[in-house]
Amino acid sequence: MYNFEFEKPETVADAVAALGAEDAQALGGGQTLIPTLKQRLASPSTLVSLKNIAEMQGVCKGDDGSICIGGATNHATVAAEAGDYPALAETAAHIGDPAVRNRGTIGGSLANNDPSACYPAAALASGATIVTNSREIAADDYFQGMFTTALEEGEIVTEVRFPVPEKANYQKFVQPASRFALVGVFVAKYSDGVRVAITGASNDGVFRWAEAEAALSANFAPEALDGLSLSGDDMISDLHGTGAYRAHLCGVMTKRAVAAAA
Amino acid sequence: MTQVNMTVNGKAASGDVEGRTLLSSFLRDQLKLTGTHVGCDTSQCGACVVHVDGVAVKSCTMLAAEADGAEVATIEGQANPDGSLNVIQQAFQDHHGLQCGFCTPGMVMSTAALLKDNPKPTETEVRAYLEGNICRCTGYHNIVKAIMAASGQDAGAIAAE
């Protein structure tokens, strides 16, 4: 690792100020960023830890019944405390391993937008609102491709608001070496329709499967997906699986998620 | 360099660290607590698991500066006050839950974290909890047996696979 200065502000305002320094970078739980730094793939001048900002910690319930999660809340806490949205708590409970879940944060995961991460699928399928230090961003506008989001330089995810669906489930086909999702599908049924978000598969990162959403909105049952398929042409192909295999898994995992949620 | 202060195994510890100093490096190189092992250094293997403020973390993937002010527990603090092995350590010995022993500090610390939250885990829960701890010798079987025994359950009920 190249060396850097370390700061741990206690308020969002102080963090934003610290991130104004040239080449400063925010540090959530570090479960992706620290390995990245070890490989010298990044060389920030200053790391600004968000872990000591009390206002970015914890899970609460919003006035409209939504679940609000502070950006610096770790996965273990979401797993334990987001019981009002069981599919979300269950998703958090299967990210990485127990020690990783004690450090990694929801804000860090969403800011990184790894194409195989779990939280982007949960946020997109839930139509979540990504709250930052300066604005609120709808999930549909937030995810902009692999490792790319709507966040501006120095902008911090302070909270994520999830509307609670009537039914939901996340199914992850685990890549056995990394334990990331080879393909993960989050299905959420709201009163105004079904949303399906897929991670791990596309070269463009997390995406919604519109045809499956339409079919499931008409009939929320696994057989509603019969005959639907995605093209593997623009999907990730690597030694763990071809694009065609991932496209196939999208259908299988969506069916499983619907069966588990229904 | 900045000074960090923490409590390690109940005793005050401090030192000057760079921003990039890992908690595992601080424990091993500065405090000379070399029981915490660094296996992969990529947060996969779990040999470096310690407890920070009561929860298991991979000390190779946490900065020493992030642990400033924290309560840290390492394998060196696990034995009973009279120096004898604690229940978990003794169970690992009794059930041959180690061969080369490299992963064992992390295994013991992960087990301690598991049993604190879940005093009577099922075999399935034990195996799931150890997802982030890799052992290349034992095939996990005797580790799982040791953990069942350490939790006061019948280790003999774990069938060989």
Side-chain angles (χ1 to χ4, degrees):
Chain A
M1 255 189 288
Y2 298 110
N3 201 18
F4 46 79
E5 298 296 314
F6 178 83
E7 294 196 29
K8 47 174 187 177
E10 294 182 354
T11 67
V12 170
D14 285 350
V16 170
L19 285 166
E22 193 173 344
D23 293 329
Q25 188 167 356
L27 173 68
Q31 301 304 286
T32 298
L33 182 53
I34 291 176
T36 303
L37 293 170
K38 286 181 181 181
Q39 294 183 60
R40 296 190 167 180
L41 294 172
S43 55
S45 61
T46 304
L47 277 193
V48 180
S49 171
L50 307 178
K51 280 272 188 183
N52 297 293
I53 302 174
E55 60 195 291
M56 281 174 58
Q57 290 284 353
V59 179
C60 67
K61 202 157 187 175
D63 296 336
D64 57 359
S66 62
I67 298 287
C68 309
I69 301 175
T73 308
N74 68 38
H75 310 328
T77 301
V78 175
E81 297 181 11
D84 287 329
Y85 187 168
L88 180 65
E90 194 63 17
T91 299
H94 291 94
I95 297 172
D97 61 52
V100 167
R101 292 194 285 274
N102 284 331
R103 294 295 302 165
T105 67
I106 190 168
S109 174
L110 292 177
N112 190 45
N113 192 19
D114 187 295
S116 299
C118 299
Y119 269 138
L124 187 59
S126 305
T129 301
I130 295 40
V131 183
T132 77
N133 52 294
S134 58
R135 58 187 168 142
E136 298 186 358
I137 309 170
D140 284 322
D141 301 324
Y142 177 84
F143 299 103
Q144 300 189 348
M146 194 181 277
F147 296 114
T148 309
T149 69
L151 292 177
E152 302 286 348
E153 199 76 18
E155 193 172 2
I156 302 170
V157 177
T158 54
E159 184 181 279
V160 189
R161 289 191 204 128
F162 290 85
V164 178
E166 295 167 0
K167 295 173 177 175
N169 190 260
Y170 178 62
Q171 290 286 320
K172 172 162 63 167
F173 192 98
V174 172
Q175 197 261 80
S178 73
R179 302 280 171 183
F180 271 85
L182 188 69
V183 168
V185 180
F186 201 109
V187 172
K189 180 180 187 295
Y190 290 89
S191 56
D192 60 351
V194 175
R195 292 170 67 104
V196 177
I198 299 179
T199 188
S202 171
N203 280 318
D204 292 326
V206 67
F207 68 98
R208 287 172 66 188
W209 186 6
E211 291 81 7
E213 291 182 351
L216 291 168
S217 295
N219 175 22
F220 194 69
E223 53 270 23
L225 298 162
D226 288 345
L228 293 186
S229 63
L230 284 160
S231 164
D233 290 349
D234 198 30
M235 293 210 174
I236 299 167
S237 271
D238 57 22
L239 78 169
H240 307 294
T242 62
Y245 180 58
R246 281 183 165 85
H248 173 71
L249 278 181
C250 290
V252 173
M253 302 315 279
T254 306
K255 275 192 178 178
R256 287 186 188 175
V258 173
Chain B
M1 302 285 261
T2 51
Q3 191 182 38
V4 293
N5 302 290
M6 59 190 86
T7 305
V8 179
N9 299 327
K11 291 184 205 148
S14 61
D16 291 327
V17 299
E18 292 184 318
R20 62 180 166 183
T21 304
L22 298 168
L23 178 59
S24 55
S25 307
F26 179 69
L27 293 170
R28 288 177 54 83
D29 301 339
Q30 289 185 244
L31 302 185
K32 306 299 180 192
L33 295 172
T34 54
T36 296
H37 289 170
V38 177
C40 65
D41 205 25
T42 58
S43 64
Q44 310 283 315
C45 81
C48 68
V49 168
V50 302
H51 297 183
V52 175
D53 291 332
V55 301
V57 304
K58 290 181 166 173
S59 63
C60 84
T61 310
M62 178 170 181
L63 302 172
E66 290 182 281
D68 186 30
E71 299 262 348
V72 178
T74 72
I75 189 69
E76 286 88 349
Q78 294 299 296
N80 295 321
D82 67 359
S84 61
L85 298 181
N86 77 7
V87 170
I88 295 168
Q89 292 169 311
Q90 189 61 53
F92 270 70
Q93 185 181 77
D94 292 345
H95 293 273
H96 300 282
L98 61 151
Q99 288 181 29
C100 85
F102 194 87
C103 73
T104 311
M107 289 287 179
V108 169
M109 297 310 290
S110 282
T111 301
L114 166 64
L115 298 186
K116 197 171 78 166
D117 289 345
N118 184 358
K120 300 277 180 201
T122 64
E123 180 186 350
T124 303
E125 288 170 338
V126 168
R127 289 184 184 275
Y129 196 87
L130 294 183
E131 195 169 28
N133 290 82
I134 294 174
C135 170
R136 298 291 76 163
C137 301
T138 68
Y140 304 97
H141 187 68
N142 288 352
I143 292 172
V144 175
K145 274 177 129 172
I147 295 169
M148 297 305 275
S151 58
Q153 304 185 88
D154 180 10
I158 309 297
E161 287 181 343

Short mmCIF file of all heavy atoms in Angstrom, two decimals, chain B residues 89 92-93 95-104 135 137-138 142-143:
data_model
loop_
_atom_site.label_atom_id
_atom_site.label_comp_id
_atom_site.label_asym_id
_atom_site.label_seq_id
_atom_site.Cartn_x
_atom_site.Cartn_y
_atom_site.Cartn_z
N GLN B 89 -10.08 -23.74 23.15
CA GLN B 89 -8.73 -24.22 22.83
C GLN B 89 -8.58 -25.69 23.21
O GLN B 89 -8.00 -26.50 22.46
CB GLN B 89 -7.69 -23.38 23.58
CG GLN B 89 -7.61 -21.94 23.09
CD GLN B 89 -6.77 -21.07 24.01
OE1 GLN B 89 -6.95 -21.08 25.22
NE2 GLN B 89 -5.83 -20.33 23.43
N PHE B 92 -10.29 -27.91 20.76
CA PHE B 92 -9.50 -28.07 19.53
C PHE B 92 -8.40 -29.11 19.74
O PHE B 92 -8.13 -29.95 18.87
CB PHE B 92 -8.90 -26.73 19.07
CG PHE B 92 -9.78 -25.95 18.14
CD1 PHE B 92 -10.96 -25.36 18.59
CD2 PHE B 92 -9.45 -25.80 16.79
CE1 PHE B 92 -11.78 -24.64 17.73
CE2 PHE B 92 -10.27 -25.09 15.92
CZ PHE B 92 -11.44 -24.51 16.38
N GLN B 93 -7.77 -29.07 20.92
CA GLN B 93 -6.72 -30.06 21.18
C GLN B 93 -7.33 -31.47 21.30
O GLN B 93 -6.86 -32.41 20.68
CB GLN B 93 -5.97 -29.71 22.46
CG GLN B 93 -4.78 -30.63 22.72
CD GLN B 93 -4.06 -30.29 24.01
OE1 GLN B 93 -4.53 -30.62 25.09
NE2 GLN B 93 -2.91 -29.63 23.90
N HIS B 95 -9.98 -32.76 20.11
CA HIS B 95 -10.60 -33.32 18.91
C HIS B 95 -9.71 -33.18 17.68
O HIS B 95 -10.17 -33.35 16.56
CB HIS B 95 -11.98 -32.67 18.67
CG HIS B 95 -12.96 -33.04 19.73
ND1 HIS B 95 -13.74 -34.17 19.68
CD2 HIS B 95 -13.23 -32.45 20.92
CE1 HIS B 95 -14.48 -34.25 20.78
NE2 HIS B 95 -14.19 -33.21 21.55
N HIS B 96 -8.44 -32.90 17.90
CA HIS B 96 -7.49 -32.76 16.80
C HIS B 96 -8.02 -31.77 15.75
O HIS B 96 -8.01 -32.06 14.56
CB HIS B 96 -7.18 -34.12 16.16
CG HIS B 96 -6.60 -35.09 17.14
ND1 HIS B 96 -5.27 -35.04 17.53
CD2 HIS B 96 -7.17 -36.09 17.85
CE1 HIS B 96 -5.06 -36.00 18.43
NE2 HIS B 96 -6.18 -36.64 18.65
N GLY B 97 -8.47 -30.62 16.24
CA GLY B 97 -9.02 -29.60 15.34
C GLY B 97 -7.94 -28.78 14.66
O GLY B 97 -8.21 -27.70 14.15
N LEU B 98 -6.71 -29.25 14.71
CA LEU B 98 -5.62 -28.58 14.00
C LEU B 98 -4.57 -29.60 13.61
O LEU B 98 -4.42 -30.63 14.27
CB LEU B 98 -4.97 -27.48 14.86
CG LEU B 98 -4.32 -27.90 16.17
CD1 LEU B 98 -3.19 -26.96 16.50
CD2 LEU B 98 -5.34 -27.92 17.30
N GLN B 99 -3.89 -29.28 12.52
CA GLN B 99 -2.71 -30.08 12.18
C GLN B 99 -1.51 -29.15 12.17
O GLN B 99 -0.75 -29.12 13.13
CB GLN B 99 -2.94 -30.80 10.85
CG GLN B 99 -3.95 -31.95 11.01
CD GLN B 99 -4.19 -32.71 9.75
OE1 GLN B 99 -3.33 -32.83 8.89
NE2 GLN B 99 -5.39 -33.28 9.62
N CYS B 100 -1.37 -28.33 11.13
CA CYS B 100 -0.22 -27.43 11.15
C CYS B 100 -0.41 -26.28 12.12
O CYS B 100 0.56 -25.69 12.61
CB CYS B 100 0.10 -26.91 9.75
SG CYS B 100 -0.84 -25.46 9.24
N GLY B 101 -1.66 -25.91 12.39
CA GLY B 101 -1.94 -24.89 13.39
C GLY B 101 -1.95 -23.47 12.88
O GLY B 101 -2.23 -22.56 13.64
N PHE B 102 -1.68 -23.29 11.59
CA PHE B 102 -1.57 -21.90 11.11
C PHE B 102 -2.91 -21.17 11.17
O PHE B 102 -2.96 -19.99 11.54
CB PHE B 102 -1.01 -21.87 9.68
CG PHE B 102 -0.57 -20.50 9.27
CD1 PHE B 102 0.70 -20.04 9.56
CD2 PHE B 102 -1.45 -19.64 8.64
CE1 PHE B 102 1.10 -18.76 9.23
CE2 PHE B 102 -1.06 -18.35 8.30
CZ PHE B 102 0.21 -17.92 8.60
N CYS B 103 -3.98 -21.86 10.83
CA CYS B 103 -5.29 -21.21 10.81
C CYS B 103 -5.92 -21.12 12.19
O CYS B 103 -6.93 -20.44 12.38
CB CYS B 103 -6.24 -21.95 9.87
SG CYS B 103 -6.82 -23.55 10.51
N THR B 104 -5.33 -21.84 13.16
CA THR B 104 -6.00 -22.06 14.45
C THR B 104 -6.31 -20.77 15.22
O THR B 104 -7.40 -20.67 15.79
CB THR B 104 -5.17 -23.04 15.30
OG1 THR B 104 -4.85 -24.17 14.49
CG2 THR B 104 -5.93 -23.48 16.53
N CYS B 135 -8.98 -23.65 6.34
CA CYS B 135 -8.00 -24.59 6.87
C CYS B 135 -7.60 -25.53 5.75
O CYS B 135 -8.47 -26.13 5.12
CB CYS B 135 -8.59 -25.40 8.02
SG CYS B 135 -7.55 -26.79 8.54
N CYS B 137 -5.52 -28.14 6.14
CA CYS B 137 -5.09 -29.46 6.64
C CYS B 137 -6.26 -30.38 6.97
O CYS B 137 -6.29 -31.52 6.56
CB CYS B 137 -4.28 -29.33 7.92
SG CYS B 137 -2.80 -28.34 7.82
N THR B 138 -7.19 -29.88 7.76
CA THR B 138 -8.09 -30.81 8.47
C THR B 138 -9.31 -31.23 7.68
O THR B 138 -9.96 -32.19 8.05
CB THR B 138 -8.61 -30.17 9.76
OG1 THR B 138 -9.48 -29.09 9.41
CG2 THR B 138 -7.48 -29.67 10.63
N ASN B 142 -12.75 -32.10 12.02
CA ASN B 142 -12.41 -32.08 13.44
C ASN B 142 -12.56 -30.70 14.06
O ASN B 142 -12.76 -30.58 15.27
CB ASN B 142 -10.98 -32.61 13.64
CG ASN B 142 -10.92 -34.11 13.41
OD1 ASN B 142 -11.95 -34.77 13.27
ND2 ASN B 142 -9.71 -34.65 13.37
N ILE B 143 -12.49 -29.68 13.23
CA ILE B 143 -12.76 -28.33 13.74
C ILE B 143 -14.22 -28.23 14.15
O ILE B 143 -14.55 -27.72 15.23
CB ILE B 143 -12.40 -27.28 12.66
CG1 ILE B 143 -10.88 -27.26 12.45
CG2 ILE B 143 -12.92 -25.89 13.05
CD1 ILE B 143 -10.42 -26.40 11.29
#
